[in-house]
Amino acid sequence: MNLSVLKESVNFLNLLFDNVTSAVYLVNQEARVVAFNDAFEALFQKSDDKILGELCGNVIGCMYAVEENKDCGTTRNCSQCSLRNSILKAATEKIPTYKDLLVRDFYINNLKITKYFQFTTKDLEFQNETLILVILDDITALKMSELQLQEKNQKLAEYNKQLNYMMSVVAHDLRNPLGAIRSFAQLFSQSCDQFDDAERQDIFKTIVNGTNSCLNMLDDLLDYSRFEAGKIEFKIDRHDYLSVINHVVNINSILAKNKNINIIKEFEFKELMLMIDPSRMEQVIGNLLSNAIKYSPEGTEIKVIIRRENGWIKTEVIDQGPGITAEDQKELFKPFRRANVRTTGGESSTGLGLAIARNIINHHGGKIGVESEVGKGSNFYFYLPLKPIKESDGN
């Protein structure tokens, strides 16, 4: 095959031009298109009469030219356009541009689409006229894949950070009760006869409390991990919501008596049927009441209020504790986050209860939040929809 003959063959050059997968076109010094290949026409979805002789930015559907209804070269962005500037540089200074990046919204078939183009510009001399060769490669799919990969890597890094933090918190929080259990067990085994009945009861109580603290933490960890994996089952059906709340309040009232705390109920309804998973709702209200008791001083009151508000049922747990700073409030519903205040009776907390409560309320189609002011107590509240949500026996 004679290569020199091929190079001089117009048909061969046209064949080569139209079979290149890159969008290739030629513009004159005014940036008007004078030639283009099939790939260019396919990419921008325009016919010959809307391409030839038209300005580059108008042909390719530049968002600025379309939205401002102006010619390429006269929009507010033209002076900053890397493609236009490279064309002008090639035309006036004979300086080529290789594989530069253009990211912009373009109108293709009247649809606004974000595109990532890699482009090259090079000046050519043809019949005593300077033309600019422009080669465009649509790398949008590649860039989107890269961005998705970056997002996944960022989420993975955040997950690893959270996991490391979780491990440090769990190790710290388990160490204290386990250490106490071991110390008292060793003390009791070595000197059992030296303790009277009351002292033995105190030792057993300390061991039981420490064990319960460890078990509660493990239960919260398992619940949270199941939520994160989407493996928590909800059994949502029509139930008397007030009966569920009353049951939890009665249980926590016994605990509150140890600190001389009075739990007051203010219900707008005598009966209230809602679509809920009763065991999960007990978990939510139980966590809010337990926290209120932990952080409330002795001799104070905790209010549980249930009322209608704009098509929702609002449940509030209001305490007279130390209150929470605005900065801490932003972090409270994240896993392993705790307010920078101490419990009033030395009680422990896993830092997972509110994160679990948020997941449960979200699953019921509701929303949860807190209002608090330092020195004036806290109001933890959540909304449940009055209208039934879709029943679900699974996730």
Side-chain angles (χ1 to χ4, degrees):
M1 181 178 292
N2 193 326
L3 292 179
S4 62
V5 173
L6 282 176
K7 289 181 180 178
E8 293 174 1
S9 169
V10 174
N11 289 336
F12 174 74
L13 292 178
N14 284 335
L15 182 67
L16 188 65
F17 190 57
D18 284 332
N19 280 278
V20 173
T21 56
S22 301
V24 181
Y25 62 108
L26 290 168
V27 298
N28 60 20
Q29 290 180 302
E30 296 178 358
R32 295 184 181 275
V33 179
V34 296
F36 58 91
N37 70 348
D38 290 347
F40 179 87
E41 185 176 8
L43 177 59
F44 295 104
Q45 298 288 299
K46 289 191 174 180
S47 55
D48 291 14
D49 60 316
K50 293 183 178 180
I51 299 177
L52 289 174
E54 299 296 329
L55 290 165
C56 173
N58 298 91
V59 172
I60 63 178
C62 168
M63 61 170 286
Y64 298 102
V66 174
E67 293 176 357
E68 296 178 27
N69 195 27
K70 291 183 178 180
D71 285 339
C72 174
T74 62
T75 75
R76 58 188 169 87
N77 186 69
C78 286
S79 61
Q80 303 169 41
C81 176
S82 57
L83 177 59
R84 177 176 174 79
N85 288 337
S86 71
I87 289 173
L88 295 177
K89 188 181 292 185
T92 58
E93 303 176 41
K94 311 297 183 184
I95 298 175
T97 299
Y98 295 105
K99 294 184 177 181
D100 203 350
L101 182 66
L102 176 66
V103 183
R104 187 173 303 165
D105 287 341
F106 294 87
Y107 283 88
I108 299 174
N109 274 343
N110 296 320
L111 293 176
K112 191 175 184 179
I113 304 172
T114 301
K115 287 288 187 180
Y116 291 78
F117 289 138
Q118 190 176 71
F119 68 89
T120 294
T121 56
K122 178 84 168 62
D123 64 289
L124 302 173
E125 293 296 326
F126 182 72
Q127 296 182 351
N128 296 323
E129 183 180 0
T130 299
L131 299 176
I132 312 304
L133 173 69
V134 183
I135 302 173
L136 277 180
D137 287 298
D138 185 356
I139 58 171
T140 304
L142 177 62
K143 280 294 180 182
M144 293 305 292
S145 296
E146 288 179 0
L147 291 173
Q148 289 172 2
L149 183 60
Q150 288 175 9
E151 184 179 354
K152 288 179 180 178
N153 286 338
Q154 186 175 354
K155 287 181 178 178
L156 183 60
E158 183 63 30
Y159 176 78
N160 286 334
K161 181 180 177 182
Q162 189 181 92
L163 183 62
N164 290 333
Y165 180 74
M166 178 189 75
M167 294 302 294
S168 65
V169 169
V170 171
H172 176 270
D173 287 358
L174 284 178
R175 183 183 180 88
N176 291 336
L178 287 175
I181 292 169
R182 184 180 67 176
S183 296
F184 278 103
Q186 287 175 343
L187 180 64
F188 191 75
S189 66
Q190 294 169 2
S191 311
C192 176
D193 297 336
Q194 297 179 15
F195 300 104
D196 59 29
D197 289 342
E199 290 172 329
R200 290 192 188 98
Q201 287 299 320
D202 286 340
I203 291 173
F204 286 140
K205 185 178 179 180
T206 301
I207 291 174
V208 169
N209 288 340
T211 304
N212 287 337
S213 177
C214 293
L215 288 174
N216 288 338
M217 174 171 288
L218 292 174
D219 285 341
D220 281 350
L221 279 170
L222 289 172
D223 259 358
Y224 182 74
S225 65
R226 283 196 289 261
F227 270 115
E228 289 295 291
K231 293 180 179 180
I232 283 286
E233 289 189 355
F234 284 83
K235 295 180 180 179
I236 294 177
D237 205 345
R238 191 172 174 81
H239 292 275
D240 182 3
Y241 180 60
L242 299 188
S243 176
V244 173
I245 300 300
N246 278 321
H247 175 67
V248 180
V249 170
N250 290 339
I251 293 173
N252 281 273
S253 292
I254 298 171
L255 301 175
K257 283 182 180 179
N258 294 329
K259 297 174 73 172
N260 195 26
I261 294 172
N262 187 28
I263 300 179
I264 300 171
K265 296 183 291 185
E266 295 181 6
F267 297 172
E268 187 179 304
F269 314 88
K270 291 184 178 179
E271 186 182 75
L272 179 60
M273 303 301 292
L274 292 178
M275 295 294 293
I276 58 171
D277 181 330
S279 64
R280 293 300 173 188
M281 291 312 304
E282 285 182 5
Q283 197 172 352
V284 173
I285 196 71
N287 177 266
L288 299 186
L289 273 173
S290 173
N291 285 344
I293 294 169
K294 286 176 185 177
Y295 292 98
S296 291
E298 290 190 10
T300 56
E301 291 181 347
I302 296 171
K303 286 186 179 181
V304 179
I305 302 173
I306 300 176
R307 57 190 173 90
R308 184 198 302 260
E309 186 177 295
N310 299 324
W312 296 82
I313 295 299
K314 185 178 184 180
T315 303
E316 301 172 84
V317 176
I318 305 172
D319 64 48
Q320 296 173 339
I324 305 166
T325 66
E327 193 65 29
D328 280 345
Q329 290 177 43
K330 297 175 185 177
E331 304 292 319
L332 276 182
F333 294 94
K334 296 178 182 179
F336 301 104
R337 296 296 192 269
R338 301 163 180 161
N340 290 317
V341 291
R342 293 183 179 276
T343 57
T344 55
E347 300 96 335
S348 62
S349 172
T350 64
L352 283 172
L354 290 176
I356 293 171
R358 181 195 60 186
N359 283 331
I360 293 172
I361 295 301
N362 287 347
H363 192 92
H364 281 76
K367 46 194 174 183
I368 190 169
V370 61
E371 294 173 352
S372 185
E373 188 175 342
V374 175
K376 295 186 178 181
S378 302
N379 178 359
F380 282 87
Y381 61 87
F382 59 88
Y383 291 90
L384 293 174
L386 259 175
K387 294 182 179 179
I389 64 172
K390 186 178 179 181
E391 291 187 43
S392 173
D393 292 328
N395 293 336

